Amino acid sequence: FQACTGIENIDEAITLLEQNNWDLVAAINGVIPQENGILQSEYGGETLHGPAYGPTSHSTAAASTPSSSSAFRHVVPSRQIVERQPRMLDFRVEYRDRNVDVVLEDSSTVGDIKHILENELQIPASKMLLKGWKTGDVDDSTVLKTLHLPKNNSLYVLTPDLPPPPSSHSGALQESLNQNFMLIVTHREVQREYNLNFSGSSTIQEVKRNVYDLTSIPVRHQLWEGWPPTATDDSMTLAASGLTFPCHRLTVGRRSSPVQTREQSEEQCTDVHMVSDSDGDDFEDATEFGVDDGEMFGVASSALRKSPMMPENAENEGDALLQFTAEFSSRYGDCHPVYFIGSLEAAFQEAFYGKARDRKLLAIYLHHDESVLTNVFCSQMLCAESIVSYLSQNFITWAWDMTKEANRAR
């Protein structure tokens, strides 16, 4: 294009080519006067047909005009024919987590870019180091045209003299969501500690439900100490609650009136007899010891109970099991299996027909209040911490009281 038009300024040549979408013939025709699509020279109205810039035409023209080495050597008036528009340069400047787009004429300087960035980034221009130039480091006074830059450019800003900004809250929160928190939960009534691991994305409500499985204290009755002041909503994640990482101590107790201790309960049930073999053999079925139904299910022990485990002829199984759980807690303490509240059919659904990862086995406890062995079984075995923990993790536990004939028939 420069050889055909005689334009020596490369920036001007690139601008004209860009205006014609890099179509060489269209760019030449836009610079050189033409009539009916034929390029003209400035010598005596001579015309050059065909590709005037081809090798054959060039030699012919040279032969016919000996005084000239090129038919287009003196085509300087092109600047008067086509009004030159300023060439625009696009810059995408990256600074930390931001990108700023800057558009300038190629007649602008590097300092002009910095002044625009100063307004966008709120950083003094004197503190900026503008990097990414293909020609190496440049001064603020450098004219962009002299760098022969392409239309689209990528730069980045360094600020070594400025302190790094504090990490954003959102970034820190995202990092905390992926961390694991160790919660050391102390059960106040029994003075036992539980070490529980939760991810930062777990909610406070999930923690309280897990503690309910371990302590049998319903969420609504849990009285907590140790939560940060910011933990005001149970739907809040542990990452956002302000817990101490990686370990945080909490204490939980029962909100209601003081719970009767196991010792008090056992004092009320004075008619407790351990059935054992004098030779120390393993315990077998009670009938082999000559204990008949009349002795096992006597009337004397029932008189010592304050209230029945379950109302007779209860219409709602859920209400009956609520009373069973409350009475069981008052007799044997808070450390007992978590009993499913609902019908046996509902317990089946919960255990076997949920999501595969949530399914558990079904344990059924049948209680008889008039048996002298019931108190021993409940206090010594069923309420042992290891048994409670194992049942909570692996079973849905459903209970029913068979003391009353009507309930037994159901």
Side-chain angles (χ1 to χ4, degrees):
F1 178 75
Q2 287 180 290
C4 294
T5 59
I7 297 177
E8 297 179 357
N9 189 316
I10 188 173
D11 294 324
E12 183 177 0
I14 290 175
T15 301
L16 293 171
L17 286 168
E18 286 182 344
Q19 291 175 357
N20 291 277
N21 199 23
W22 293 89
D23 186 333
L24 182 61
V25 176
I28 292 174
N29 287 335
V31 172
I32 301 173
Q34 54 179 317
E35 293 180 0
N36 299 324
I38 302 175
L39 297 177
Q40 293 183 343
S41 73
E42 58 178 338
Y43 293 98
E46 278 188 359
T47 61
L48 295 177
H49 298 272
Y53 44 83
T56 305
S57 300
H58 181 76
S59 60
T60 303
S64 62
T65 57
S67 61
S68 173
S69 61
S70 173
F72 307 105
R73 187 182 59 175
H74 298 292
V75 190
V76 177
S78 61
R79 294 191 183 118
Q80 300 173 358
I81 298 171
V82 178
E83 182 180 354
R84 181 176 180 271
Q85 296 181 354
R87 182 169 179 249
M88 306 303 292
L89 299 176
D90 295 337
F91 296 90
R92 167 152 287 196
V93 185
E94 180 182 352
Y95 177 67
R96 291 176 177 161
D97 57 345
R98 290 191 58 186
N99 288 318
V100 179
D101 293 323
V102 178
V103 180
L104 286 174
E105 296 182 7
D106 60 358
S107 59
S108 304
T109 64
V110 175
D112 294 334
I113 299 179
K114 287 189 175 182
H115 286 305
I116 294 176
L117 295 175
E118 183 176 13
N119 295 329
E120 291 289 336
L121 303 176
Q122 301 299 314
I123 299 174
S126 59
K127 302 292 184 180
M128 294 184 194
L129 294 180
L130 202 53
K131 299 288 186 178
W133 305 103
K134 299 187 182 303
T135 57
D137 293 340
V138 295
D139 298 327
D140 289 358
S141 58
T142 303
V143 180
L144 300 178
K145 184 188 301 183
T146 62
L147 300 177
H148 306 295
L149 299 171
K151 182 174 178 57
N152 297 310
N153 303 270
S154 295
L155 303 174
Y156 60 93
V157 174
L158 298 179
T159 53
D161 296 335
L162 297 179
S167 58
S168 63
H169 177 69
S170 59
L173 178 59
Q174 184 61 38
E175 183 180 354
S176 298
L177 288 172
N178 300 324
Q179 294 174 335
N180 286 329
F181 289 80
M182 166 70 78
L183 300 183
I184 303 176
V185 181
T186 302
H187 186 183
R188 187 184 303 111
E189 281 79 12
V190 298
Q191 287 302 306
R192 180 180 177 185
E193 285 188 353
Y194 299 96
N195 295 331
L196 308 177
N197 278 305
F198 290 93
S199 66
S201 58
S202 301
T203 63
I204 297 176
Q205 182 71 18
E206 291 175 10
V207 174
K208 293 183 176 181
R209 286 175 180 170
N210 276 268
V211 170
Y212 166 54
D213 291 339
L214 296 173
T215 64
S216 301
I217 304 177
V219 174
R220 65 183 182 276
H221 292 157
Q222 291 173 6
L223 182 62
W224 287 88
E225 294 178 3
W227 288 107
T230 53
T232 56
D233 187 359
D234 284 358
S235 63
M236 184 180 295
T237 62
L238 299 184
S241 65
L243 291 176
T244 306
F245 180 80
C247 183
H248 192 90
R249 288 187 170 273
L250 297 168
T251 303
V252 64
R254 183 175 287 272
R255 187 184 300 275
S256 58
S257 58
V259 183
Q260 294 176 331
T261 62
R262 184 176 301 176
E263 291 75 17
Q264 291 173 330
S265 177
E266 290 176 352
E267 286 177 3
Q268 296 170 1
C269 307
T270 55
D271 189 13
V272 176
H273 302 285
M274 291 290 292
V275 179
S276 61
D277 191 359
S278 58
D279 294 333
D281 293 339
D282 292 338
F283 178 80
E284 299 178 6
D285 190 79
T287 56
E288 298 185 10
F289 288 86
V291 182
D292 58 18
D293 288 348
E295 294 175 342
M296 286 187 62
F297 305 106
V299 217
S301 59
S302 62
L304 300 174
R305 308 296 184 185
K306 282 191 172 181
S307 59
M309 294 292 290
M310 186 176 289
E312 190 172 4
N313 291 323
E315 295 182 0
N316 189 297
E317 294 179 351
D319 293 340
L321 286 169
L322 281 174
Q323 178 174 328
F324 181 92
T325 302
E327 182 64 21
F328 196 96
S329 297
S330 67
R331 295 185 188 183
Y332 305 110
D334 287 329
C335 185
H336 63 73
V338 180
Y339 296 119
F340 181 83
I341 306 300
S343 65
L344 182 58
E345 291 78 7
F348 268 93
Q349 293 289 332
E350 180 75 13
F352 304 135
Y353 297 102
K355 295 181 179 178
R357 63 182 179 184
D358 297 331
R359 292 175 188 170
K360 295 182 179 181
L361 299 174
L362 179 63
I364 299 179
Y365 169 57
L366 300 178
H367 183 91
H368 201 297
D369 224 6
E370 295 179 354
S371 171
V372 295
L373 304 179
T374 297
N375 189 69
V376 176
F377 176 77
C378 292
S379 60
Q380 302 299 323
M381 182 177 177
L382 190 58
C383 294
E385 292 181 356
S386 57
I387 300 296
V388 171
S389 176
Y390 185 78
L391 287 174
S392 298
Q393 294 174 11
N394 301 285
F395 288 83
I396 297 294
T397 305
W398 186 83
W400 193 253
D401 181 28
M402 303 181 65
T403 308
K404 302 294 183 181
E405 184 63 32
N407 293 336
R408 187 188 310 178
R410 293 184 65 174

